[in-house]
């Protein structure tokens, strides 16, 4: 292996990122080395399998880059606004008293998305190359992957987790362990959000319920999970009080 | 992370075009890199997205050299480190593809052994340790290449490899 180029060098070759002399040297080596030829072949296979998704990947990336810009501009705008109000505090207070104040968490009309309850949850499962929606009572098995999409009618904060029949809680978003403090996850705008990554189901058998909890204000994730578990079986507020929207979908695990 | 909110529209559009060009050139090989580490196609696709988003956020940190790929490799290593840590916390089972040409002499990047080792020890590592192990053990990079990727000296890489050997109890081959 001493003279074999690194995986990085082979990647640079594949990406047309080497000088002509380097291309010559690496290509010659591959031609005469079974180890590197095999690696090169497997790299080509992986790269080819991704190529069909390149356009989709770039489109999603472009959208997320725009989201970053919007989020940062909004944060910058809020900082500037805070500075301005220090100097205009008296006038602002009078105006607020006379006109009523606009709450910071008033829903922003993002493309007119409105629906009852303010929150919906979709779960999609993947099994091999098949994909199918997950509804209450869907039977899933070890190795299935599930993805979550939530639709909200305003920016806010959420958490997604599951609770098994024996009370075991598995946090997914955010995914810090149950015994660690965690804030809710921020959603920067109304609309449909497909949460990053997929959850791979383990070999536990029985009922498991996926919960999503949403609020326009940030909240303590652990306190919310505990409230839901303590009030288990209640779809709706789940004992959380006003200001929260809750959705859940229960599945059966095992063959 | 550099906030992009107050930069000009022209700057942001140029940055987006630069990222698109990087994506067109390097997304495939980065997917290959992430897939070798994570062993799962969906996760690798997600990881590639995160790599380019992180590159977008930290564009100003890139010091122009001959190639951008070592910089992207570093971001990819960081990203996969977080993915592996998350997976481990969740107690998820790693989907593993079968070993290619089992029994045949293979490049380190073409075996499952390195990935399994990294998954096993990921909780005992910091980001720098993970990057060095990935570079040395999975990618077959020279100490100098690793140093260039991480922006540290070859000597620092050697020193850290020796410490990692003790820390995680690995049998890491000495570089010839």
């Amino acid at each position: 292996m001493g003279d074999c180029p690194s995986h990085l060098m082979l990647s640079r070759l594949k990406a047309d990122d080497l000088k002509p002399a380097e291309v010559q040297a690496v290509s010659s080596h591959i031609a005469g080395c079974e180890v590197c030829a095999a690696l090169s072949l497997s790299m080509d296979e992986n790269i080819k399998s991704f190529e069909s998704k390149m356009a989709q990947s770039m489109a999603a990336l472009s959208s997320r880059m725009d989201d970053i810009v919007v989020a940062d501009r909004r944060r910058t705008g809020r900082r500037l606004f805070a500075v301005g109000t220090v100097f205009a505090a008296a006038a602002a207070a009078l105006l607020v008293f006379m006109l009523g104040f606009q709450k910071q968490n008033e829903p922003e009309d993002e493309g007119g998305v409105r629906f009852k309850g303010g929150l919906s949850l979709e779960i999609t499962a993947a099994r091999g190359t098949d994909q199918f929606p997950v509804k209450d009572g869907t039977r899933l098995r070890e190795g299935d992957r599930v993805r979550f999409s939530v639709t909200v009618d305003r920016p806010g904060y959420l958490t997604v987790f599951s609770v098994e029949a024996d009370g075991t809680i598995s946090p997914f978003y955010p995914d810090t362990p149950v015994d660690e403090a965690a804030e809710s996850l921020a959603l920067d705008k109304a609309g449909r959000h497909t949460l990053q990554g997929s959850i791979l189901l383990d070999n536990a058998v029985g009922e498991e319920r996926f919960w999503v909890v949403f609020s326009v204000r940030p909240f303590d994730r652990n306190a919310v999970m505990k409230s839901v578990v303590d009030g288990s079986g209640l779809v709706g507020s789940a004992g959380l009080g006003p200001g929260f929207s809750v959705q859940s979908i229960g599945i059966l695990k095992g063959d | 992370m550099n906030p992009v909110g107050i930069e000009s529209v022209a700057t942001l559009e140029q940055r987006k075009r630069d990222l698109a060009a990087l994506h067109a050139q390097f997304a495939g090989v980065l997917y290959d890199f992430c897939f070798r580490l994570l062993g799962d196609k969906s996760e690798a696709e997600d990881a590639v997205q995160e790599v380019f988003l992180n590159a977008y956020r930290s564009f100003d940190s890139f010091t122009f050299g001959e190639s951008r790929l070592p910089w992207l490799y570093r971001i990819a290593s960081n990203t996969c480190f977080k993915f592996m840590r998350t997976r481990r916390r969740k107690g998820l089972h790693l989907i593993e593809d079968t070993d290619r040409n089992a029994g045949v002499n293979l490049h380190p990047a073409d075996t499952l052994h390195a990935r399994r080792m990294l998954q096993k020890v990921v909780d005992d590592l910091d980001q720098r340790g993970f990057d060095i192990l990935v570079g040395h053990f999975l990618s077959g990079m020279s100490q100098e290449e690793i140093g260039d990727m991480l922006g540290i000296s070859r000597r620092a890489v050697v020193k850290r490899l020796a410490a990692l050997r003790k820390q995680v109890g690995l049998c890491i081959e000495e570089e010839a």
Side-chain angles (χ1 to χ4, degrees):
Chain A
M1 264 282 316
D3 294 332
C4 289
S6 65
H7 182 261
L8 173 61
M9 280 300 280
L10 291 175
S11 292
R12 291 185 64 193
L13 175 72
K14 306 284 177 195
D16 213 11
D17 194 44
L18 291 177
K19 294 176 185 166
E22 291 172 320
V23 170
Q24 173 75 18
V26 174
S27 299
S28 294
H29 178 91
I30 291 172
C33 176
E34 273 184 18
V35 171
C36 290
L39 174 60
S40 178
L41 185 64
S42 80
M43 288 175 76
D44 287 340
E45 288 172 4
N46 287 337
I47 292 166
K48 192 176 174 187
S49 81
F50 183 72
E51 267 172 10
S52 61
K53 300 185 179 172
M54 283 277 280
Q56 187 185 348
S57 173
M58 188 58 227
L61 183 63
S62 183
S63 173
R64 289 183 73 185
M65 285 195 282
D66 290 337
D67 290 346
I68 290 172
V69 171
V70 168
D72 280 347
R73 283 197 170 132
R74 202 171 281 156
R75 276 195 289 273
T76 303
R78 285 188 186 134
R79 282 198 295 272
L80 292 172
F81 178 75
V83 169
T85 52
V86 168
F87 298 98
L94 182 62
L95 190 64
V96 159
F97 176 77
M98 293 186 66
L99 298 177
F101 64 95
Q102 183 163 0
K103 290 180 183 171
Q104 275 192 337
N105 60 350
E106 182 156 324
E108 296 173 27
D109 192 350
E110 295 281 353
V113 177
R114 285 279 185 270
F115 50 88
K116 192 172 176 182
L119 169 70
S120 77
L121 170 65
E122 299 164 56
I123 302 179
T124 306
R127 182 179 297 161
T129 55
D130 293 333
Q131 286 195 3
F132 51 93
V134 175
K135 310 227 179 272
D136 259 332
T138 296
R139 189 171 283 278
L140 298 176
R141 55 173 94 130
E142 180 189 3
D144 288 345
R145 281 192 297 269
V146 291
R147 288 191 85 123
F148 299 94
S149 297
V150 295
T151 306
V152 294
D153 68 349
R154 66 200 74 181
Y157 301 84
L158 67 67
T159 185
V160 181
F161 58 96
S162 77
V163 183
E164 296 177 38
D166 63 0
T168 302
I169 301 174
S170 298
F172 299 135
Y173 302 94
D175 62 359
T176 46
V178 173
D179 53 0
E180 284 184 20
E183 290 282 319
S184 44
L185 194 71
L187 292 182
D188 203 55
K189 60 181 182 182
R192 189 169 184 272
H193 302 262
T194 296
L195 304 184
Q196 179 199 324
S198 54
I199 308 300
L200 180 65
L201 295 187
D202 60 18
N203 59 359
V205 173
E207 292 181 10
E208 183 168 358
R209 182 160 286 274
F210 297 108
W211 292 86
V212 60
V213 178
F214 175 79
S215 172
V216 294
R217 296 184 185 83
F219 54 85
D220 179 331
R221 189 245 358 225
N222 289 349
V224 159
M225 289 197 304
K226 187 175 183 304
S227 292
V228 169
V229 171
D230 288 346
S232 61
L234 297 176
V235 176
S237 68
L240 290 170
F244 289 93
S245 297
V246 181
Q247 293 286 344
S248 72
I249 293 175
I251 61 162
L252 297 168
K253 282 166 56 184
D255 288 325
Chain B
M1 187 173 79
N2 297 321
V4 299
I6 55 176
E7 295 188 38
S8 70
V9 170
T11 303
L12 293 172
E13 286 301 315
Q14 183 57 49
R15 186 180 295 188
K16 223 170 144 179
R17 280 193 291 271
D18 290 342
L19 254 295
L22 284 179
H23 186 274
Q25 185 176 10
F26 295 122
V29 296
L30 286 170
Y31 169 79
D32 171 74
F33 176 83
C34 294
F35 178 63
R36 285 174 195 286
L37 266 179
L38 299 171
D40 180 87
K41 289 180 180 175
S42 285
E43 274 202 317
E45 287 167 18
D46 289 344
V48 167
Q49 276 273 305
E50 286 307 306
V51 168
F52 282 99
L53 277 176
N54 289 332
Y56 180 66
R57 290 187 183 106
S58 58
F59 217 76
D60 294 339
S61 74
F62 174 70
T63 306
F64 277 81
E66 284 188 8
S67 168
R68 299 203 188 208
L69 192 53
W71 175 64
L72 289 169
Y73 253 49
R74 183 176 179 181
I75 297 175
S77 187
N78 289 356
T79 303
C80 291
F81 178 65
K82 292 188 177 89
F83 273 53
M84 287 174 107
R85 270 249 170 116
T86 298
R87 178 200 286 159
R88 191 155 175 85
R89 271 202 303 268
K90 287 181 183 169
L92 297 177
H93 298 292
L94 171 63
I95 296 176
E96 301 205 0
D97 51 352
T98 54
D99 217 332
R100 294 176 55 85
N101 304 317
V104 175
N105 187 23
L106 293 172
H107 192 287
D110 214 11
T111 72
L112 294 179
H113 175 64
R115 186 168 78 224
R116 284 181 180 143
M117 180 272 292
L118 285 166
Q119 178 69 58
K120 200 174 163 188
V121 302
V122 68
D123 278 346
D124 298 323
L125 299 171
D126 59 12
Q127 182 68 65
R128 173 74 46 97
F130 181 83
D131 291 341
I132 290 174
L133 281 186
V134 168
H136 180 88
F137 214 71
L138 183 82
S139 299
M141 294 167 78
S142 68
Q143 290 156 0
E144 194 166 340
E145 275 181 309
I146 296 171
D148 286 343
M149 182 179 78
L150 298 179
I152 57 177
S153 67
R154 180 178 176 272
R155 198 170 162 186
V157 173
V158 171
K159 198 173 167 186
R160 189 65 202 269
L161 267 175
L164 284 166
R165 191 185 304 118
K166 283 184 192 170
Q167 180 188 350
V168 299
L170 293 170
C171 182
I172 302 174
E173 292 177 9
E174 295 280 1
E175 180 164 311

